[in-house]
Amino acid sequence: MSLGTSVAALLLAATGCSSTDGAVSITVPTPSPEAAAYCRALHKELPRTVAGLDRGDAGPKSELTAEWGDGEIVLRCGVPRPAKMDDPMAKGTEANGVNWLLEQPDGTGPRFTTTYRKAYVEVTMSEAYAHDASPLAAFGASISKTVPGL
């Protein structure tokens, strides 16, 4: 079997084994041990519902991620500091005592990342929340309690 044939067979096998049940898959961050400890504490304090959406069961299981409403709202803790934080023209918002950097990548909903915290917490939302940052308020108390400011 040639290398090209082997690669093609491997790709077909991987595609055939991929999940098609519509389950949300979240990329798990790889934070420092200090940030991971804050994230584990945050995970225990996260709300059961956000914006009327129930907390889901996204994979892979991790104390660094959570989702609500089948991926409508996704939280990842311990993400790298966004380069956009260096931009003096970057947009931000405050919700329930927590400051957030707003990024709006093309073709997706908004992405918010905490600022002035010892671990960066990222919340992405579906396009349905393109002009609605109100779900962020649900995370304020949990983040303030578990992820110290700088």
Side-chain angles (χ1 to χ4, degrees), residues 58-92:
K61 293 276 186 205
S62 172
E63 292 180 316
L64 305 176
T65 63
E67 62 91 13
W68 292 262
D70 293 325
E72 288 290 303
I73 298 173
V74 174
L75 179 143
R76 298 184 327 128
C77 185
V79 298
R81 181 181 188 276
K84 188 82 171 169
M85 284 190 187
D86 293 330
D87 180 354
M89 301 303 290
K91 295 179 183 176

mmCIF file of all heavy atoms in Angstrom, residues 58-92:
data_model
loop_
_atom_site.group_PDB
_atom_site.id
_atom_site.type_symbol
_atom_site.label_atom_id
_atom_site.label_comp_id
_atom_site.label_asym_id
_atom_site.label_seq_id
_atom_site.Cartn_x
_atom_site.Cartn_y
_atom_site.Cartn_z
ATOM 1 N N ALA A 58 -21.541 18.753 27.080
ATOM 2 C CA ALA A 58 -20.609 18.778 25.943
ATOM 3 C C ALA A 58 -19.397 17.908 26.220
ATOM 4 O O ALA A 58 -19.035 17.661 27.361
ATOM 5 C CB ALA A 58 -20.165 20.205 25.666
ATOM 6 N N GLY A 59 -18.773 17.474 25.161
ATOM 7 C CA GLY A 59 -17.593 16.659 25.313
ATOM 8 C C GLY A 59 -16.377 17.389 24.777
ATOM 9 O O GLY A 59 -16.520 18.346 24.039
ATOM 10 N N PRO A 60 -15.211 17.003 25.112
ATOM 11 C CA PRO A 60 -14.934 16.014 26.156
ATOM 12 C C PRO A 60 -15.184 16.598 27.547
ATOM 13 O O PRO A 60 -15.156 17.812 27.724
ATOM 14 C CB PRO A 60 -13.447 15.706 25.951
ATOM 15 C CG PRO A 60 -12.886 16.943 25.326
ATOM 16 C CD PRO A 60 -13.997 17.537 24.497
ATOM 17 N N LYS A 61 -15.440 15.730 28.503
ATOM 18 C CA LYS A 61 -15.678 16.167 29.887
ATOM 19 C C LYS A 61 -14.428 16.856 30.411
ATOM 20 O O LYS A 61 -13.327 16.355 30.267
ATOM 21 C CB LYS A 61 -15.995 14.971 30.788
ATOM 22 C CG LYS A 61 -17.300 14.304 30.458
ATOM 23 C CD LYS A 61 -18.408 15.034 31.135
ATOM 24 C CE LYS A 61 -19.713 14.276 30.922
ATOM 25 N NZ LYS A 61 -20.844 15.104 31.006
ATOM 26 N N SER A 62 -14.618 18.038 30.989
ATOM 27 C CA SER A 62 -13.488 18.785 31.520
ATOM 28 C C SER A 62 -13.987 19.804 32.529
ATOM 29 O O SER A 62 -15.060 20.376 32.360
ATOM 30 C CB SER A 62 -12.755 19.506 30.389
ATOM 31 O OG SER A 62 -11.771 20.369 30.919
ATOM 32 N N GLU A 63 -13.181 20.050 33.552
ATOM 33 C CA GLU A 63 -13.494 21.101 34.512
ATOM 34 C C GLU A 63 -13.104 22.473 33.968
ATOM 35 O O GLU A 63 -13.255 23.476 34.646
ATOM 36 C CB GLU A 63 -12.762 20.835 35.835
ATOM 37 C CG GLU A 63 -13.273 19.620 36.566
ATOM 38 C CD GLU A 63 -12.535 19.386 37.871
ATOM 39 O OE1 GLU A 63 -11.283 19.503 37.896
ATOM 40 O OE2 GLU A 63 -13.214 19.100 38.870
ATOM 41 N N LEU A 64 -12.623 22.515 32.740
ATOM 42 C CA LEU A 64 -12.209 23.773 32.115
ATOM 43 C C LEU A 64 -13.243 24.275 31.115
ATOM 44 O O LEU A 64 -13.070 25.348 30.538
ATOM 45 C CB LEU A 64 -10.861 23.597 31.413
ATOM 46 C CG LEU A 64 -9.711 23.065 32.272
ATOM 47 C CD1 LEU A 64 -8.469 22.854 31.434
ATOM 48 C CD2 LEU A 64 -9.425 23.991 33.431
ATOM 49 N N THR A 65 -14.313 23.504 30.898
ATOM 50 C CA THR A 65 -15.326 23.881 29.916
ATOM 51 C C THR A 65 -16.731 23.628 30.442
ATOM 52 O O THR A 65 -16.934 22.791 31.325
ATOM 53 C CB THR A 65 -15.161 23.092 28.601
ATOM 54 O OG1 THR A 65 -15.361 21.697 28.873
ATOM 55 C CG2 THR A 65 -13.797 23.307 27.983
ATOM 56 N N ALA A 66 -17.694 24.343 29.872
ATOM 57 C CA ALA A 66 -19.117 24.127 30.172
ATOM 58 C C ALA A 66 -19.927 24.715 29.025
ATOM 59 O O ALA A 66 -19.443 25.574 28.280
ATOM 60 C CB ALA A 66 -19.494 24.807 31.486
ATOM 61 N N GLU A 67 -21.164 24.237 28.874
ATOM 62 C CA GLU A 67 -22.025 24.778 27.828
ATOM 63 C C GLU A 67 -23.476 24.748 28.279
ATOM 64 O O GLU A 67 -23.854 23.979 29.139
ATOM 65 C CB GLU A 67 -21.824 24.040 26.508
ATOM 66 C CG GLU A 67 -22.155 22.568 26.535
ATOM 67 C CD GLU A 67 -23.589 22.241 26.159
ATOM 68 O OE1 GLU A 67 -24.311 23.093 25.633
ATOM 69 O OE2 GLU A 67 -24.006 21.115 26.415
ATOM 70 N N TRP A 68 -24.235 25.634 27.667
ATOM 71 C CA TRP A 68 -25.660 25.756 27.966
ATOM 72 C C TRP A 68 -26.407 25.785 26.646
ATOM 73 O O TRP A 68 -25.947 26.367 25.661
ATOM 74 C CB TRP A 68 -25.934 27.043 28.745
ATOM 75 C CG TRP A 68 -25.359 27.023 30.119
ATOM 76 C CD1 TRP A 68 -26.034 26.718 31.279
ATOM 77 C CD2 TRP A 68 -24.015 27.287 30.517
ATOM 78 N NE1 TRP A 68 -25.174 26.767 32.352
ATOM 79 C CE2 TRP A 68 -23.932 27.120 31.912
ATOM 80 C CE3 TRP A 68 -22.860 27.641 29.821
ATOM 81 C CZ2 TRP A 68 -22.757 27.305 32.630
ATOM 82 C CZ3 TRP A 68 -21.689 27.815 30.520
ATOM 83 C CH2 TRP A 68 -21.639 27.654 31.910
ATOM 84 N N GLY A 69 -27.589 25.129 26.636
ATOM 85 C CA GLY A 69 -28.437 25.157 25.448
ATOM 86 C C GLY A 69 -27.833 24.490 24.240
ATOM 87 O O GLY A 69 -27.885 25.037 23.140
ATOM 88 N N ASP A 70 -27.259 23.327 24.405
ATOM 89 C CA ASP A 70 -26.658 22.586 23.285
ATOM 90 C C ASP A 70 -25.649 23.425 22.506
ATOM 91 O O ASP A 70 -25.630 23.429 21.281
ATOM 92 C CB ASP A 70 -27.734 22.047 22.340
ATOM 93 C CG ASP A 70 -28.591 20.981 22.996
ATOM 94 O OD1 ASP A 70 -28.063 20.208 23.811
ATOM 95 O OD2 ASP A 70 -29.803 20.928 22.696
ATOM 96 N N GLY A 71 -24.838 24.178 23.247
ATOM 97 C CA GLY A 71 -23.770 24.940 22.625
ATOM 98 C C GLY A 71 -24.129 26.374 22.268
ATOM 99 O O GLY A 71 -23.314 27.076 21.673
ATOM 100 N N GLU A 72 -25.320 26.825 22.622
ATOM 101 C CA GLU A 72 -25.683 28.227 22.369
ATOM 102 C C GLU A 72 -24.734 29.167 23.120
ATOM 103 O O GLU A 72 -24.379 30.225 22.631
ATOM 104 C CB GLU A 72 -27.125 28.501 22.818
ATOM 105 C CG GLU A 72 -28.180 27.874 21.943
ATOM 106 C CD GLU A 72 -28.252 28.542 20.585
ATOM 107 O OE1 GLU A 72 -28.470 29.758 20.523
ATOM 108 O OE2 GLU A 72 -28.085 27.833 19.581
ATOM 109 N N ILE A 73 -24.345 28.747 24.327
ATOM 110 C CA ILE A 73 -23.395 29.498 25.142
ATOM 111 C C ILE A 73 -22.342 28.507 25.619
ATOM 112 O O ILE A 73 -22.677 27.459 26.181
ATOM 113 C CB ILE A 73 -24.096 30.169 26.342
ATOM 114 C CG1 ILE A 73 -25.139 31.175 25.837
ATOM 115 C CG2 ILE A 73 -23.075 30.840 27.261
ATOM 116 C CD1 ILE A 73 -26.009 31.777 26.911
ATOM 117 N N VAL A 74 -21.067 28.826 25.382
ATOM 118 C CA VAL A 74 -19.960 27.938 25.742
ATOM 119 C C VAL A 74 -18.943 28.724 26.566
ATOM 120 O O VAL A 74 -18.561 29.831 26.197
ATOM 121 C CB VAL A 74 -19.274 27.358 24.478
ATOM 122 C CG1 VAL A 74 -18.034 26.557 24.856
ATOM 123 C CG2 VAL A 74 -20.248 26.497 23.686
ATOM 124 N N LEU A 75 -18.520 28.145 27.674
ATOM 125 C CA LEU A 75 -17.498 28.745 28.528
ATOM 126 C C LEU A 75 -16.256 27.866 28.503
ATOM 127 O O LEU A 75 -16.357 26.642 28.614
ATOM 128 C CB LEU A 75 -18.023 28.876 29.953
ATOM 129 C CG LEU A 75 -17.052 29.482 30.973
ATOM 130 C CD1 LEU A 75 -17.819 30.362 31.959
ATOM 131 C CD2 LEU A 75 -16.281 28.422 31.722
ATOM 132 N N ARG A 76 -15.091 28.517 28.342
ATOM 133 C CA ARG A 76 -13.798 27.840 28.441
ATOM 134 C C ARG A 76 -12.954 28.656 29.399
ATOM 135 O O ARG A 76 -12.821 29.862 29.240
ATOM 136 C CB ARG A 76 -13.103 27.740 27.079
ATOM 137 C CG ARG A 76 -13.884 26.936 26.069
ATOM 138 C CD ARG A 76 -13.195 26.718 24.722
ATOM 139 N NE ARG A 76 -12.338 27.798 24.283
ATOM 140 C CZ ARG A 76 -11.056 27.635 23.890
ATOM 141 N NH1 ARG A 76 -10.492 26.452 23.893
ATOM 142 N NH2 ARG A 76 -10.347 28.665 23.486
ATOM 143 N N CYS A 77 -12.391 28.009 30.376
ATOM 144 C CA CYS A 77 -11.562 28.694 31.369
ATOM 145 C C CYS A 77 -10.112 28.284 31.185
ATOM 146 O O CYS A 77 -9.815 27.112 30.941
ATOM 147 C CB CYS A 77 -12.040 28.342 32.781
ATOM 148 S SG CYS A 77 -11.163 29.260 34.075
ATOM 149 N N GLY A 78 -9.205 29.289 31.316
ATOM 150 C CA GLY A 78 -7.785 29.015 31.155
ATOM 151 C C GLY A 78 -7.306 29.205 29.734
ATOM 152 O O GLY A 78 -6.267 28.681 29.352
ATOM 153 N N VAL A 79 -8.047 29.977 28.951
ATOM 154 C CA VAL A 79 -7.633 30.248 27.570
ATOM 155 C C VAL A 79 -6.460 31.229 27.565
ATOM 156 O O VAL A 79 -6.246 31.959 28.538
ATOM 157 C CB VAL A 79 -8.806 30.816 26.732
ATOM 158 C CG1 VAL A 79 -9.946 29.818 26.651
ATOM 159 C CG2 VAL A 79 -9.277 32.157 27.269
ATOM 160 N N PRO A 80 -5.699 31.270 26.490
ATOM 161 C CA PRO A 80 -4.606 32.246 26.394
ATOM 162 C C PRO A 80 -5.156 33.679 26.340
ATOM 163 O O PRO A 80 -6.291 33.904 25.925
ATOM 164 C CB PRO A 80 -3.919 31.897 25.075
ATOM 165 C CG PRO A 80 -4.397 30.543 24.703
ATOM 166 C CD PRO A 80 -5.732 30.364 25.341
ATOM 167 N N ARG A 81 -4.319 34.609 26.733
ATOM 168 C CA ARG A 81 -4.693 36.029 26.672
ATOM 169 C C ARG A 81 -4.855 36.417 25.206
ATOM 170 O O ARG A 81 -3.941 36.253 24.403
ATOM 171 C CB ARG A 81 -3.588 36.870 27.305
ATOM 172 C CG ARG A 81 -3.870 38.353 27.331
ATOM 173 C CD ARG A 81 -2.678 39.086 27.966
ATOM 174 N NE ARG A 81 -2.959 40.488 28.186
ATOM 175 C CZ ARG A 81 -2.831 41.442 27.281
ATOM 176 N NH1 ARG A 81 -2.409 41.132 26.058
ATOM 177 N NH2 ARG A 81 -3.110 42.690 27.576
ATOM 178 N N PRO A 82 -6.036 36.950 24.832
ATOM 179 C CA PRO A 82 -6.237 37.347 23.434
ATOM 180 C C PRO A 82 -5.331 38.510 23.034
ATOM 181 O O PRO A 82 -5.165 39.469 23.793
ATOM 182 C CB PRO A 82 -7.701 37.793 23.393
ATOM 183 C CG PRO A 82 -8.334 37.189 24.600
ATOM 184 C CD PRO A 82 -7.250 37.095 25.629
ATOM 185 N N ALA A 83 -4.761 38.445 21.849
ATOM 186 C CA ALA A 83 -3.911 39.521 21.336
ATOM 187 C C ALA A 83 -4.700 40.821 21.238
ATOM 188 O O ALA A 83 -4.140 41.908 21.387
ATOM 189 C CB ALA A 83 -3.355 39.133 19.971
ATOM 190 N N LYS A 84 -6.000 40.727 21.037
ATOM 191 C CA LYS A 84 -6.869 41.906 20.900
ATOM 192 C C LYS A 84 -6.828 42.778 22.157
ATOM 193 O O LYS A 84 -7.131 43.965 22.101
ATOM 194 C CB LYS A 84 -8.300 41.439 20.615
ATOM 195 C CG LYS A 84 -9.259 42.521 20.276
ATOM 196 C CD LYS A 84 -9.140 42.893 18.824
ATOM 197 C CE LYS A 84 -10.263 43.822 18.436
ATOM 198 N NZ LYS A 84 -10.067 44.413 17.150
ATOM 199 N N MET A 85 -6.418 42.219 23.301
ATOM 200 C CA MET A 85 -6.333 43.005 24.532
ATOM 201 C C MET A 85 -5.270 44.091 24.446
ATOM 202 O O MET A 85 -5.284 45.031 25.217
ATOM 203 C CB MET A 85 -6.093 42.112 25.748
ATOM 204 C CG MET A 85 -7.329 41.396 26.172
ATOM 205 S SD MET A 85 -7.111 40.595 27.760
ATOM 206 C CE MET A 85 -8.650 39.686 27.827
ATOM 207 N N ASP A 86 -4.349 43.968 23.499
ATOM 208 C CA ASP A 86 -3.321 44.988 23.301
ATOM 209 C C ASP A 86 -3.812 46.149 22.440
ATOM 210 O O ASP A 86 -3.121 47.150 22.301
ATOM 211 C CB ASP A 86 -2.077 44.374 22.654
ATOM 212 C CG ASP A 86 -1.382 43.397 23.583
ATOM 213 O OD1 ASP A 86 -1.459 43.576 24.813
ATOM 214 O OD2 ASP A 86 -0.767 42.449 23.074
ATOM 215 N N ASP A 87 -4.990 46.010 21.861
ATOM 216 C CA ASP A 87 -5.548 47.028 20.975
ATOM 217 C C ASP A 87 -6.287 48.085 21.798
ATOM 218 O O ASP A 87 -7.291 47.783 22.442
ATOM 219 C CB ASP A 87 -6.516 46.360 19.994
ATOM 220 C CG ASP A 87 -7.152 47.334 19.014
ATOM 221 O OD1 ASP A 87 -6.947 48.562 19.141
ATOM 222 O OD2 ASP A 87 -7.863 46.847 18.118
ATOM 223 N N PRO A 88 -5.789 49.331 21.808
ATOM 224 C CA PRO A 88 -6.454 50.370 22.596
ATOM 225 C C PRO A 88 -7.865 50.694 22.095
ATOM 226 O O PRO A 88 -8.654 51.295 22.809
ATOM 227 C CB PRO A 88 -5.525 51.581 22.455
ATOM 228 C CG PRO A 88 -4.710 51.326 21.240
ATOM 229 C CD PRO A 88 -4.627 49.831 21.091
ATOM 230 N N MET A 89 -8.203 50.252 20.897
ATOM 231 C CA MET A 89 -9.539 50.495 20.342
ATOM 232 C C MET A 89 -10.469 49.305 20.551
ATOM 233 O O MET A 89 -11.607 49.314 20.091
ATOM 234 C CB MET A 89 -9.439 50.809 18.842
ATOM 235 C CG MET A 89 -8.571 52.020 18.535
ATOM 236 S SD MET A 89 -9.110 53.534 19.357
ATOM 237 C CE MET A 89 -10.603 53.864 18.464
ATOM 238 N N ALA A 90 -9.999 48.283 21.255
ATOM 239 C CA ALA A 90 -10.815 47.094 21.489
ATOM 240 C C ALA A 90 -12.074 47.464 22.270
ATOM 241 O O ALA A 90 -12.066 48.362 23.104
ATOM 242 C CB ALA A 90 -10.006 46.046 22.251
ATOM 243 N N LYS A 91 -13.134 46.752 21.982
ATOM 244 C CA LYS A 91 -14.409 46.998 22.649
ATOM 245 C C LYS A 91 -14.525 46.094 23.860
ATOM 246 O O LYS A 91 -14.057 44.958 23.857
ATOM 247 C CB LYS A 91 -15.569 46.735 21.695
ATOM 248 C CG LYS A 91 -15.597 47.700 20.536
ATOM 249 C CD LYS A 91 -16.740 47.387 19.605
ATOM 250 C CE LYS A 91 -16.694 48.331 18.411
ATOM 251 N NZ LYS A 91 -17.724 48.010 17.441
ATOM 252 N N GLY A 92 -15.162 46.600 24.880
ATOM 253 C CA GLY A 92 -15.362 45.816 26.089
ATOM 254 C C GLY A 92 -16.698 46.133 26.714
ATOM 255 O O GLY A 92 -17.418 47.048 26.287
#
